[in-house]
C-alpha cells in the first residue's frame, strides 16, 4: 500500500479520484500564487467531470478560468505563461482531443529547456482524462500515453487511485518539467476491475480512497508494488492495476502487481527487482498493442532480466483497432483475458 | 450539365512576376505618406477596419515626415536606429559570407526588413518579451546584444550559449527579452499571448510582442493566438511581417489575395493596422501606439508590416528560380535604410561623409566580433560543447535512463580514442 510508511501530514478523509484531484489543485492554488488552472468548461461550471468544481469561486477568475475550444491555444498559452514564470495546470477535456495540441506539446513544451540550454523552461501540467470502459466510443476512450512517453523532455504520469492521484498531481505541478497527467476516467468515482456486470463499488470502500486533506506528494519516478506475489510480475497502470488484481484472483495465480504510476521516466529498479524474483512478466495496458508503451516495457524487461526469465513476456492490451462503441467488452482487456495470459506465462 | 452551368474550376493563385518578367506591385494597396489617420488608443477594434485595409506611412519619397503618425524622435535616436539597422544589415552580409566560406553551416538574412525589428524594439521597454520568428535579429541588435555572442551561436562553438543544440540563428536571450526561437512555425505567436496573459494575471506592467511571417499565418497557431488575445484582452502586440514570400510561395497562397493580413485581426475583434514596414518612423510610431494600448489594459493590437524579403529565404534557397531577380529594386516601398538616411539628410542631421564613416565603423566592429567569436572554435574545427552534454537540460535533473545512455556514449568515445579512430 502506497499509504504505508508515509508521514501523517493531515487528517485523511474519504475522497473519490475526482475529489482528490480537485483537492490537489486547491492545495497548490493556495500554496503557490503562480499556479493557474484553465481549460474548456473548467471555470464557472467546474469541469465536465467536476474535477475543478468550486475552484473558481474560491480562487477567483484570474486563477481558474474557462478557455476557448482550442487545445493548441490552451497548451500554447500555457507554455508562454510558464516561460513568464507561472505554473499552469491546464486541462484537455479528453485525451482523445489532445492531438491539436501535439505540436505545442512535442515541439515546444518538451524541448524548451533543451533548445534554450535552460534559458527558458516549461513547468506546466497538462491534465487529460483517458481510457475506456465507459462506452465512450472512438473519441472518449483512447489511451494515447505512447505518443507522450516517446517524446524526450516529457514526463508522463497516470494514477490508479485517489491517494496517488492527489500526491502525483501535486508533485507534477511542483515539477519543473512538463508533465502529461493522464487520469483514467473509469476510475474517477470508484475502482473498476473490468467486471462490468457487477455493481459499482465506491472509493469509500477502498483503502486508497482515504486521502489527506492537506499537502503531500507521491514522487514522480516511483512505482509501487500494489500486490506482492511470487509467481509472476504484472506491469500495469491506471485501470489495469485493478483489472490485473481481478485477473490474478480469477486465475488463482500469486501475481506481483506493479503499479508504474510514472510511465516515463519510470522506476526501473522496482520492475527489475520484481521480474528477477518471479521470472515471469505480463504487461497490461488499455492502449492498442503495436508500438504501444507495453513494447517499451517488454524490451526493458528483456534487456535487464533476460537470464532470469522463465517464459516469454506476455502483453495484454487493447486490439489494434479504433476503440469501438457497441463491442466495448470485447475490446477492453478484462480480467479473463489477463487471467489467460497469466496462465500462459505460468505454463511456458 | 446544362448550357448555363460551366464546369467548376479550382483557383490557384500565382504571383504576377516570375523569373524573366516583372512583378506588378499594384496588388499592394498602397497609400500616400501621411494619409492614414491616427486613432485614439481607446479605438474600438471594429473601427480600425479601414486602417487594416489601408497603409500607415510617415516618410514620403523626399524623406519628409508627414501626417498624424510622425513621431517625435530626437535626431540622436534616429541615428541610433539607423546604426542598428546598418549593423543588422552588415552583420547579415558578413555571416552570409561566412556561410559561403563554410565557417557556419546555415544562415538566414533579414535584408530589407531591418526597420521593423529595430524600430519596434526601440518602442518597447526593458522587460517586455518578444517572441520572434527566425527573421528578427534586429530586435537583438537594437537591444545592444554583443555581436560576438551571437556569432558564437552561429558557429556552434565552445562558447555557444545554446551548447550547439540549435541551428544557427535560432537564438535564445531571455535577459534581452528575446524568446527561444523554434524551428516550428507560428508556435511562438500563441505563446506570446500566454506570456502577456501571465503578466496580466500577476498584475505586472510588462507586455509581450509576438512575431509571425505572412506564410505562417496559415498555421492554426495564428488563429489560436488571435482568439486567445481577443478573449482575454491580453497585453500583446501581434506582428505579421508580410515580406510577400514564404520560401518560394507568394503571399497570395497564404491567403493574401484580395485580402490583407491586418483585416484578420479586425475579424477576430482586435484593433489592427497595416503599416509600411520599410518606414522606420511609421514602425516606431505604430509600435509605440500598440505598446501604449497594451500597457493601458486596452487590449491587443495586430499589425501587418508590409515589406519585402530582399534576400534569399535562407542560405539553402535560390530565389532566382521562382521570382524576378530585380524584384526588390522594383518594390514600391524601397529600402528602409536608404529612406531613413534620406530623412536625416532632409533634416540636416546626416551627410555622405557620416554615412561612409558609419559603414566603416560597423564593418570593423562586425569583423572584430567575428574574430573574437572564431577564437572559441566552430563546428568545422570540432571545438563544440562536449558530446556528453547532449544529455543535459532534457529534464531539470537527469533521469536514470539518460545517465545510462551518457555512460554508454562515454564508453563509445573512450573506445574510439583507444582504437585511434
Amino acid at each position: 500500500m502506497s499509504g504505508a510508511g508515509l508521514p501523517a501530514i493531515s487528517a485523511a478523509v474519504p475522497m473519490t479520484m475526482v475529489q482528490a484531484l480537485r483537492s490537489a489543485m486547491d492545495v497548490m492554488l493556495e500554496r503557490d500564487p503562480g499556479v493557474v488552472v484553465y481549460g474548456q468548461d473548467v471555470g464557472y461550471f467546474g469541469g465536465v467531470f467536476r474535477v475543478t468544481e468550486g475552484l473558481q469561486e474560491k480562487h477567483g477568475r484570474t486563477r481558474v478560468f474557462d478557455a476557448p475550444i482550442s487545445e493548441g491555444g490552451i497548451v500554447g498559452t500555457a507554455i508562454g505563461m510558464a516561460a513568464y514564470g507561472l505554473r499552469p495546470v491546464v486541462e484537455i477535456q479528453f485525451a482523445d482531443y489532445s492531438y491539436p495540441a501535439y505540436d505545442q506539446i512535442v515541439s515546444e513544451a518538451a524541448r524548451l529547456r533543451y533548445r534554450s540550454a535552460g534559458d527558458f523552461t516549461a513547468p506546466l501540467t497538462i491534465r487529460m482524462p483517458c481510457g475506456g470502459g465507459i462506452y465512450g466510443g472512438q473519441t472518449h476512450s483512447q489511451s494515447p500515453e505512447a505518443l507522450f512517453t516517446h517524446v524526450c523532455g516529457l514526463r508522463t504520469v497516470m494514477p490508479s487511485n485517489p491517494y496517488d492521484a492527489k500526491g502525483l498531481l501535486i508533485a507534477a505541478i511542483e515539477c519543473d518539467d512538463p508533465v502529461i497527467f493522464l487520469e483514467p476516467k473509469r476510475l474517477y468515482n470508484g475502482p473498476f476491475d473490468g467486471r462490468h456486470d457487477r455493481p459499482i463499488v465506491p472509493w469509500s470502500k477502498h483503502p486508497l480512497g482515504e486521502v489527506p486533506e492537506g499537502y503531500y506528494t507521491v514522487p514522480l519516478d516511483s512505482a509501487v508494488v500494489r500486490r506482492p506475489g511470487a509467481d509472476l510480475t504484472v506491469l500495469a497502470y491506471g485501470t489495469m492495476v485493478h483489472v490485473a488484481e481481478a485477473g490474478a484472483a480469477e486465475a488463482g495465480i500469486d501475481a506481483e502487481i506493479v503499479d508504474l504510476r510514472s510511465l516515463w521516466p519510470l522506476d526501473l529498479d522496482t520492475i527489475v527487482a520484481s521480474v528477477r524474483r518471479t521470472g515471469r512478466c505480463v504487461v497490461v495496458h488499455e492502449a492498442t498493442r503495436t508500438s504501444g508503451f507495453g513494447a517499451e516495457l517488454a524490451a526493458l524487461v528483456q534487456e535487464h532480466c533476460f537470464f532470469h526469465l522463465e517464459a516469454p513476456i506476455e502483453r495484454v492490451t487493447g486490439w489494434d483497432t479504433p476503440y469501438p462503441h457497441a463491442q466495448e467488452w470485447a475490446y477492453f482487456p478484462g480480467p479473463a483475458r489477463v487471467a489467460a495470459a497469466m496462465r500462459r506465462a505460468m505454463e511456458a | 450539365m446544362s448550357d448555363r452551368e460551366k464546369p467548376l474550376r479550382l483557383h490557384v493563385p500565382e504571383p504576377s512576376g516570375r523569373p524573366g518578367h516583372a512583378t506588378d506591385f499594384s496588388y499592394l494597396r498602397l497609400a500616400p505618406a501621411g494619409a492614414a489617420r491616427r486613432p485614439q488608443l481607446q479605438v474600438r477594434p471594429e473601427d480600425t477596419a479601414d486602417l487594416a485595409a489601408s497603409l500607415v506611412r510617415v516618410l514620403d519619397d523626399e524623406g519628409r515626415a508627414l501626417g498624424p503618425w510622425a513621431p517625435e524622435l530626437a535626431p540622436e535616436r534616429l541615428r541610433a536606429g539607423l546604426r542598428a539597422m546598418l549593423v543588422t544589415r552588415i552583420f547579415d552580409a558578413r555571416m552570409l559570407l561566412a556561410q559561403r566560406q563554410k565557417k557556419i553551416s546555415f544562415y538566414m538574412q533579414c535584408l530589407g526588413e531591418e526597420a521593423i525589428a529595430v524600430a519596434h524594439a526601440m518602442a518597447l521597454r526593458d522587460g517586455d518579451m518578444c517572441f520572434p520568428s527566425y527573421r528578427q535579429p534586429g530586435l537583438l541588435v537594437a537591444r545592444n546584444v554583443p555581436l560576438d555572442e551571437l556569432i558564437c551561436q552561429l558557429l556552434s562553438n565552445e562558447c555557444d550559449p545554446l551548447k550547439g543544440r540549435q541551428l544557427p540563428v535560432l537564438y535564445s536571450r531571455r535577459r534581452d527579452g528575446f524568446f527561444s526561437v523554434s524551428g516550428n512555425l507560428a508556435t511562438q505567436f500563441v505563446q506570446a499571448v500566454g506570456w502577456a496573459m501571465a503578466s496580466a494575471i500577476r498584475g505586472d506592467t510588462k507586455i509581450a510582442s509576438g512575431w509571425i511571417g505572412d506564410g505562417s499565418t496559415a498555421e492554426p497557431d495564428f488563429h489560436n493566438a488571435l482568439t486567445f488575445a481577443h478573449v482575454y484582452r491580453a497585453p500583446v502586440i501581434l506582428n505579421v511581417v508580410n515580406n510577400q514570400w514564404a520560401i518560394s510561395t507568394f503571399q497570395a497562397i497564404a491567403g493574401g489575395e484580395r485580402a490583407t493580413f491586418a483585416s484578420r485581426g479586425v475579424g477576430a475583434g482586435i484593433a489592427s493596422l497595416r503599416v509600411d514596414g520599410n518606414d522606420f518612423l511609421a514602425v516606431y510610431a505604430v509600435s509605440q501606439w500598440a505598446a501604449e494600448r497594451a500597457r493601458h489594459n486596452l487590449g491587443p493590437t495586430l499589425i501587418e508590416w508590409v515589406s519585402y524579403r530582399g534576400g534569399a529565404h535562407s542560405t539553402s534557397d535560390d530565389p532566382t528560380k521562382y521570382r524576378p531577380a530585380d524584384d526588390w529594386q522594383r518594390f514600391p516601398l524601397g529600402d528602409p535604410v536608404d529612406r531613413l538616411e534620406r530623412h536625416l539628410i532632409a533634416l540636416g542631421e546626416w551627410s555622405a561623409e557620416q554615412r561612409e564613416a558609419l559603414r566603416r565603423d560597423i564593418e570593423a566592429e562586425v569583423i572584430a566580433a567575428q574574430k573574437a567569436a572564431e577564437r572559441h572554435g566552430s563546428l568545422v574545427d570540432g571545438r563544440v560543447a562536449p558530446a556528453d552534454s547532449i544529455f543535459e537540460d532534457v529534464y531539470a535533473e537527469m533521469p536514470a535512463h539518460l545517465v545510462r545512455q551518457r555512460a554508454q556514449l562515454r564508453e563509445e568515445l573512450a573506445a574510439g580514442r583507444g582504437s585511434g579512430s
Side-chain angles (χ1 to χ4, degrees):
Chain A
M1 292 295 157
S2 67
L6 285 166
I9 290 143
S10 58
V13 298
M15 289 191 200
T16 66
M17 192 184 279
V18 167
Q19 291 165 328
L21 293 164
R22 182 192 305 148
S23 174
M25 284 185 273
D26 188 23
V27 164
M28 290 312 293
L29 281 160
E30 197 84 57
R31 277 174 74 96
D32 183 347
V35 171
V36 291
V37 172
Y38 64 102
Q40 193 188 331
D41 301 304
V42 159
Y44 182 85
F45 179 60
V48 293
F49 293 106
R50 321 308 303 150
V51 180
T52 55
E53 189 174 31
L55 295 180
Q56 183 180 74
E57 194 177 19
K58 181 170 174 187
H59 299 281
R61 267 208 311 253
T62 59
R63 302 284 307 283
V64 181
F65 51 91
D66 289 313
I69 305 174
S70 168
E71 293 78 10
I74 289 168
V75 176
T77 51
I79 293 167
M81 289 185 198
Y84 175 93
L86 302 189
R87 283 189 185 274
V89 183
V90 295
E91 178 181 306
I92 304 288
Q93 199 158 77
F94 288 84
D96 316 58
Y97 302 132
S98 61
Y99 312 130
Y102 202 56
D103 190 29
Q104 288 286 349
I105 293 171
V106 175
S107 309
E108 301 291 320
R111 309 257 186 85
L112 188 54
R113 177 187 295 275
Y114 190 74
R115 76 170 194 236
S116 71
D119 198 25
F120 292 92
T121 60
L124 74 156
T125 304
I126 306 173
R127 296 180 38 245
M128 314 178 187
C130 71
I134 54 143
Y135 283 100
Q138 297 191 22
T139 56
H140 299 81
S141 307
Q142 295 168 40
S143 297
E145 63 268 18
L147 297 179
F148 302 114
T149 55
H150 184 61
V151 178
C152 45
L154 295 181
R155 291 179 176 273
T156 302
V157 173
M158 194 191 298
S160 69
N161 58 74
Y163 181 91
D164 283 356
K166 178 172 175 179
L168 285 169
L169 183 53
I170 291 176
I173 296 168
E174 289 188 321
C175 180
D176 288 333
D177 301 318
V179 180
I180 304 295
F181 196 90
L182 294 158
E183 302 167 3
K185 66 184 92 65
R186 179 68 225 213
L187 300 181
Y188 268 158
N189 293 307
F192 178 66
D193 61 10
R195 288 179 289 199
H196 52 93
D197 46 349
R198 300 194 183 181
I200 292 163
V201 184
W203 278 116
S204 57
K205 305 269 196 241
H206 195 284
L208 292 170
E210 290 285 310
V211 179
E213 287 187 290
Y215 171 90
Y216 70 95
T217 60
V218 171
L220 283 192
D221 50 3
S222 73
V224 65
V225 174
R226 199 58 72 192
R227 180 197 185 282
D231 291 349
L232 58 74
T233 298
V234 178
L235 304 180
Y237 47 88
T239 308
M240 290 301 122
V241 172
H242 306 276
V243 173
E245 284 180 289
E250 193 171 314
I253 288 169
D254 185 20
E256 176 144 302
I257 297 170
V258 178
D259 179 352
L260 298 182
R261 301 198 290 204
S262 284
L263 273 51
W264 199 262
L266 52 55
D267 178 357
L268 186 64
D269 293 346
T270 297
I271 294 169
V272 169
S274 177
V275 177
R276 284 186 181 174
R277 197 170 59 250
T278 63
R280 291 177 164 84
C281 181
V282 178
V283 175
V284 190
H285 62 56
E286 285 185 70
T288 52
R289 175 164 310 187
T290 304
S291 299
F293 187 57
E296 184 62 39
L297 291 172
L300 284 170
V301 169
Q302 190 274 138
E303 285 164 15
H304 294 271
C305 310
F306 184 76
F307 295 107
H308 296 78
L309 285 174
E310 293 174 38
I313 302 160
E314 285 276 348
R315 277 188 288 168
V316 183
T317 69
W319 308 122
D320 280 340
T321 71
Y323 205 114
H325 178 60
Q327 301 84 0
E328 177 84 54
W329 306 115
Y331 182 90
F332 185 90
R337 204 185 297 160
V338 173
M342 287 177 173
R343 288 192 199 98
R344 286 197 299 276
M346 292 310 295
E347 287 157 11
Chain B
M1 196 186 305
S2 76
D3 288 345
R4 284 177 291 117
E5 277 184 41
K6 292 181 183 162
L8 295 167
R9 271 182 34 206
L10 181 70
H11 174 66
V12 181
E14 256 300 292
S16 58
R18 284 294 192 191
H21 60 98
T23 300
D24 173 5
F25 283 108
S26 63
Y27 75 88
L28 277 174
R29 298 162 175 259
L30 300 182
R37 67 193 172 89
R38 186 178 192 278
Q40 297 290 308
L41 291 180
Q42 295 82 355
V43 68
R44 295 187 308 173
E46 62 267 36
D47 294 336
T48 62
D50 60 320
L51 292 163
S54 180
L55 195 69
V56 175
R57 303 178 73 184
V58 171
L59 290 172
D60 72 2
D61 292 343
E62 278 76 53
R64 289 175 302 192
L66 304 177
W69 284 98
E72 286 177 19
L73 269 170
E76 314 77 85
R77 293 272 283 159
L78 291 174
R79 281 191 292 263
L82 177 64
R83 185 174 210 287
M85 282 201 285
L86 269 173
V87 170
T88 306
R89 179 166 297 183
I90 290 169
F91 182 84
D92 264 0
R94 189 84 201 169
M95 294 305 112
L96 194 63
L97 187 65
Q99 194 278 335
R100 296 307 187 213
Q101 294 167 334
K102 301 191 192 307
K103 288 178 173 176
I104 60 180
S105 61
F106 176 77
Y107 194 70
M108 302 179 98
Q109 321 163 251
C110 65
L111 182 66
E113 300 173 38
E114 295 92 343
I116 301 167
V118 167
H120 187 82
M122 288 175 69
L124 296 180
R125 292 186 191 158
D126 287 348
D128 294 341
M129 183 64 74
C130 287
F131 287 74
S133 80
Y134 45 66
R135 222 184 290 279
Q136 279 81 43
L139 296 171
L140 294 167
V141 175
R143 285 179 166 179
N144 296 311
V145 173
L147 299 180
D148 57 329
E149 293 183 22
L150 297 181
I151 300 171
C152 286
Q153 196 279 328
L154 300 175
L155 292 165
S156 304
N157 68 15
E158 289 169 345
C159 284
D160 172 6
L162 308 184
K163 302 182 183 175
R165 293 177 192 153
Q166 276 279 51
L167 274 179
V169 313
L170 304 187
Y171 308 110
S172 178
R173 305 278 308 192
R174 187 187 185 100
R175 70 191 145 158
D176 301 306
F178 189 95
F179 184 74
S180 158
V181 182
S182 169
N184 290 67
L185 297 176
T187 50
Q188 78 287 345
F189 211 53
V190 68
Q191 291 163 3
V193 176
W195 198 97
M197 288 169 69
S199 184
I201 287 167
R202 296 310 298 269
D204 203 341
T205 57
K206 300 186 187 88
I207 65 167
S209 180
W211 294 81
I212 201 165
D214 46 284
S216 304
T217 61
E219 292 282 2
D221 278 333
F222 173 71
H223 305 273
N224 294 340
L226 266 54
T227 301
F228 279 69
H230 163 72
V231 167
Y232 300 108
R233 274 188 220 165
V236 64
I237 307 173
L238 296 167
N239 301 280
V240 179
V241 181
N242 181 1
N243 68 13
Q244 318 302 322
W245 292 94
I247 309 185
S248 73
T249 308
F250 183 56
Q251 58 104 40
I253 286 276
E257 195 173 61
R258 280 182 252 157
T260 70
F261 294 100
S263 65
R264 266 71 155 180
V266 180
I270 295 172
S272 302
L273 299 168
R274 189 164 176 270
V275 183
D276 180 347
N278 293 0
D279 178 340
F280 184 90
L281 296 183
V283 176
Y284 181 85
V286 171
S287 297
Q288 198 182 40
W289 185 85
E292 285 302 300
R293 274 176 54 78
R295 271 185 235 293
H296 286 95
N297 268 315
L298 295 167
T301 305
L302 184 142
I303 309 165
E304 176 184 347
W305 305 108
V306 179
S307 185
Y308 188 88
R309 197 191 76 208
H313 164 70
S314 73
T315 51
S316 307
D317 173 51
D318 176 6
T320 66
K321 298 275 193 270
Y322 52 81
R323 70 182 190 189
D326 65 344
D327 223 24
W328 188 37
Q329 282 72 46
R330 301 184 61 263
F331 182 66
L333 300 178
D335 175 338
V337 173
D338 293 350
R339 287 177 63 192
L340 182 56
E341 283 195 323
R342 208 174 303 142
H343 176 59
L344 276 164
I345 289 166
L347 292 177
E349 296 286 348
W350 199 238
S351 66
E353 295 74 43
Q354 280 172 294
R355 172 190 172 140
E356 289 319 305
L358 178 63
R359 278 169 169 74
R360 275 198 305 276
D361 279 1
I362 295 171
E363 288 277 0
E365 185 189 329
V366 173
I367 289 168
Q370 188 179 352
K371 281 188 177 147
E374 285 174 353
R375 279 200 285 276
H376 302 292
S378 72
L379 195 57
V380 181
D381 68 16
R383 283 163 63 200
V384 300
D388 63 1
S389 72
I390 63 179
F391 300 101
E392 295 161 9
D393 299 323
V394 181
Y395 297 90
E397 286 168 31
M398 196 180 296
H401 70 284
L402 291 183
V403 172
R404 286 195 300 275
Q405 290 176 23
R406 185 177 62 176
Q408 188 184 343
L409 176 64
R410 284 173 175 171
E411 277 174 34
E412 284 178 15
L413 294 171
R417 277 197 295 277
S419 67
S421 64

